[in-house]
Amino acid sequence: MTRVLTSAERTLAALRELILDGDLRPGTRLGEVELADRLGVSRTPVREALSRLAAEGLVQVVPNRGARVATWTVAELEGVFELRASLEPQLTGFAVARARQHDVDALDELAARMLEVGTPGPRQDLDALVPLNRAFHDRLVALADHPALAAALAAAIHPPIVLRNFHTYDEASLRRSLAHHAEIVAAVRAGDAEWAKAVMTAHICNARAVMVRAARDQHLRDQETS
């Protein structure tokens, strides 16, 4: 029988998803009253959820100033992407050896849906791209079946996940990102781990260039207004 989630668990899951999907952007103030009204719960589960999310690194709690969605310095982001560039290609390579036809088909479908919603034009929906992108990367990690590397990656990628809302991508960078997903699927289908690792490395470098540039621009804007 399926266990019914408690109010605190539902609130935690809902807030985490709002942050990870970019609905609550980095730096956004997280008022307990406003969040409770938005989620239809009391302040108690909201307070508990904010405490848990702070422990996960997704929320920053400042004494006498309340909670905000976490932000990161340029140096912190660069460090995170260095870790990701060393871990995720390895996991992708392991995934190639374990992928079966239904896995390749599922990855192919995700890549196609990302291309459909992410390609610039009147039908573009960048917010819909976020969960599809996360599902694609999560499936590769699950396929790799390497718990130690997966745990290390999970600990490293919170900042890029939070910032991965694609609104900061210029058109050329976005098209590269979408093309990388399709090429990773081709490499997995061909059973070529080295090819898949190389494309994943390029994919992460592309994201790093976008995110670090955005963080630097934000830092300059903050300096100008301080």
Side-chain angles (χ1 to χ4, degrees), residues 165-209:
N165 55 49
F166 294 102
H167 289 281
T168 54
Y169 276 60
D170 58 78
E171 182 174 330
S173 297
L174 180 57
R175 289 186 183 277
R176 274 195 299 272
S177 181
L178 295 171
H180 287 153
H181 293 120
E183 189 173 357
I184 288 168
V185 174
V188 175
R189 192 183 300 278
D192 192 327
E194 292 305 313
W195 180 13
K197 288 164 63 177
V199 181
M200 181 59 79
T201 299
H203 185 62
I204 294 167
C205 289
N206 182 56
R208 178 174 59 194

Side-chain angles (χ1 to χ4, degrees), residues 13-30 35 38-39 58 68-70 125-131 134 161-167:
L15 280 178
R16 185 187 289 117
E17 197 67 17
L18 286 171
I19 294 172
L20 295 181
D21 283 352
D23 290 326
L24 295 172
R25 303 289 177 83
T28 300
R29 180 182 174 277
L30 301 171
L35 289 174
R38 179 172 182 173
L39 299 175
L58 296 179
R68 294 182 181 275
V69 179
D125 185 352
L126 294 178
D127 291 332
L129 187 56
V130 175
R134 186 139 49 90
I161 285 178
V162 174
L163 295 174
R164 195 187 298 154
N165 55 49
F166 294 102
H167 289 281

Side-chain angles (χ1 to χ4, degrees), residues 90-161:
Q90 291 184 62
L91 286 163
T92 301
F94 290 137
V96 171
R98 298 179 56 84
R100 300 296 178 261
Q101 186 60 49
H102 68 276
D103 298 311
V104 178
D105 291 342
L107 288 167
D108 195 24
E109 181 180 353
L110 286 168
R113 289 171 63 193
M114 281 188 279
L115 189 63
E116 181 181 355
V117 302
T119 299
R123 299 179 61 186
Q124 186 183 56
D125 185 352
L126 294 178
D127 291 332
L129 187 56
V130 175
L132 293 171
N133 182 70
R134 186 139 49 90
F136 185 91
H137 287 266
D138 286 351
R139 189 168 190 107
L140 285 172
V141 172
L143 269 173
D145 194 27
H146 199 301
L149 283 181
L153 179 65
I157 63 175
H158 272 154
I161 285 178

